[in-house]
């Protein structure tokens, strides 16, 4: 059975990942969106924080790099003509 504290830590991290992705999508549409900029900054600071390292053994820098790569690849897909939309 899973540890409830581990489940909570995982939920916190997953929410930060979701928040980061959503804010980056908002910034793609409206680059001057201050709330989205702040959310990205907050999430990135969290991924690199001591608190993040307390919650998980995942390397926050690696996670952030992977998220940025994912976002860049997704952005390329969206801007490439002839590709079907992502499900």
């Amino acid at each position: 059975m899973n540890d409830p504290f581990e489940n909570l830590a995982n939920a916190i991290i997953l929410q930060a990942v979701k928040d980061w992705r959503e804010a980056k999508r908002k910034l793609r549409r409206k680059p001057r969106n201050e709330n989205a900029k702040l959310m990205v900054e907050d999430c990135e600071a969290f991924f690199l924080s001591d608190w993040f390292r307390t919650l998980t053994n995942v390397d926050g820098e690696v996670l952030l790099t992977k998220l940025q790569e994912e976002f860049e690849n997704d952005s390329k897909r969206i801007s490439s003509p002839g590709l079907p939309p992502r499900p």
Side-chain angles (χ1 to χ4, degrees):
M1 190 153 99
N2 287 342
D3 175 9
F5 295 108
E6 184 179 341
N7 291 340
L8 177 59
N10 290 336
I12 291 168
I13 294 164
L14 287 174
Q15 187 61 53
V17 168
K18 289 177 186 178
D19 290 346
W20 185 91
R21 286 176 175 152
E22 181 181 344
K24 291 293 279 187
R25 282 192 295 272
K26 287 179 181 179
L27 285 173
R28 183 188 300 145
R29 290 188 300 272
K30 295 183 180 179
R32 294 185 180 184
N33 184 326
E34 288 301 318
N35 288 334
K37 285 180 187 179
L38 288 173
M39 180 59 73
V40 168
E41 290 172 10
D42 286 349
C43 290
E44 290 177 355
F46 169 66
F47 297 141
L48 303 176
S49 71
D50 289 338
W51 174 233
F52 183 85
R53 286 187 290 280
T54 299
L55 293 174
T56 183
N57 291 327
V58 173
D59 185 324
E61 289 184 38
V62 172
L63 174 61
L64 189 51
T65 298
K66 297 283 186 187
L67 285 170
Q68 290 169 336
E69 288 172 358
E70 170 191 284
F71 183 76
E72 289 170 12
N73 289 336
D74 193 45
S75 294
K76 289 176 188 174
R77 255 182 77 95
I78 289 171
S79 64
S80 297
L83 291 177
R86 193 171 172 190

